[in-house]
Each structure stands twice: as C-alpha cells, then as structure tokens.
Amino acid sequence: RGLRNLSNCLKNTDILIINREEAELLSKNKEIKSIFNTISKYTKAIIVITDSFNSIYVYHHGTIYKKQIKKVSIVDTTGAGDAFASGFVYGIIKKKTIETAMHYGHKEALSVLKQIGAKNNLLTKL
C-alpha cells in the first residue's frame, strides 16, 4: 500500500530493516540514495537495506553506511536475514556504532548460512 499508508507505523519505528526488493517497492526508486531519501521522509528510524549477497546499506541521520558481504560457502539461507537483524539490533541496543552493529549483524548471518535451519549456529557471543 505504500509509504503513505505506513506513515503512522513508521513514525513509531526506531529501526526499519527491509530487503532491497521491499525498499524499491516502497520508495518506487531503484537507486540506493533515492530509496533512502524517499523513505526517510516518513521516518526518523535507522533504515537498513539488505541485498541478498550484495552490500548492506544503512541510513542514519543523513549518512549512508555500506558494508561489503563476505563470501562464504552457503549451506542454507533460511533465517539469515533474521539473524542479521538480531545482530544489528543487538549492536544498537548496546549503543555500538552503526558500523559495529552492521558487523554484528553480518557475523550472525554468516554463522547461520553455514548450517541447515534458521536457528542453528546462532552466536552466543559477539
């Protein structure tokens, strides 16, 4: 239904984590900077865009951060996005930098990708 219909929810959102396809649909843009510019008009949230095995992007207070994805042998992709989100949110809760939160999320996702199942191999320590 678009950003306008989500605006009340987005006003109360602290961290928005979506994939590239969702971001393009919401913003009606393809380019990452344009996507962030459009979505940020509706929320003050930290906006995170994951892009499968491509870079991770984060928009926070007008700055765009980018993290390259480490290439690993993948066993199963189930739960990798959720694992990334949990690691990222953990970093923010612990008052780490955006870069560190991205690192935590990336580390969690890589760990899950190496095992079969959504919860196998989640890290107990970052």
Side-chain angles (χ1 to χ4, degrees), residues 41-55:
K41 292 176 185 174
Y42 293 87
T43 184
K44 299 296 181 205
I46 298 169
I47 305 167
V48 181
I49 298 175
T50 60
D51 191 7
S52 186
F53 301 106
N54 298 310
S55 298

Side-chain angles (χ1 to χ4, degrees), residues 20-95:
R20 180 79 181 246
E21 182 181 342
E22 293 164 337
E24 289 176 359
L25 287 170
L26 273 177
S27 68
K28 296 181 175 53
N29 290 297
K30 295 276 185 199
E31 196 269 320
I32 207 73
K33 187 175 180 179
S34 297
I35 291 170
F36 283 132
N37 286 337
T38 301
I39 296 174
S40 67
K41 292 176 185 174
Y42 293 87
T43 184
K44 299 296 181 205
I46 298 169
I47 305 167
V48 181
I49 298 175
T50 60
D51 191 7
S52 186
F53 301 106
N54 298 310
S55 298
I56 301 161
Y57 296 93
V58 176
Y59 178 91
H60 184 53
H61 296 306
T63 301
I64 297 174
Y65 301 85
K66 179 180 178 182
K67 179 163 184 57
Q68 295 294 118
I69 300 296
K70 182 179 176 184
K71 304 296 181 202
V72 296
S73 296
I74 297 165
V75 175
D76 185 11
T77 60
T78 305
D82 292 335
F84 171 82
S86 68
F88 183 84
V89 170
Y90 171 81
I92 297 301
I93 288 170
K94 292 296 188 178
K95 304 208 181 300

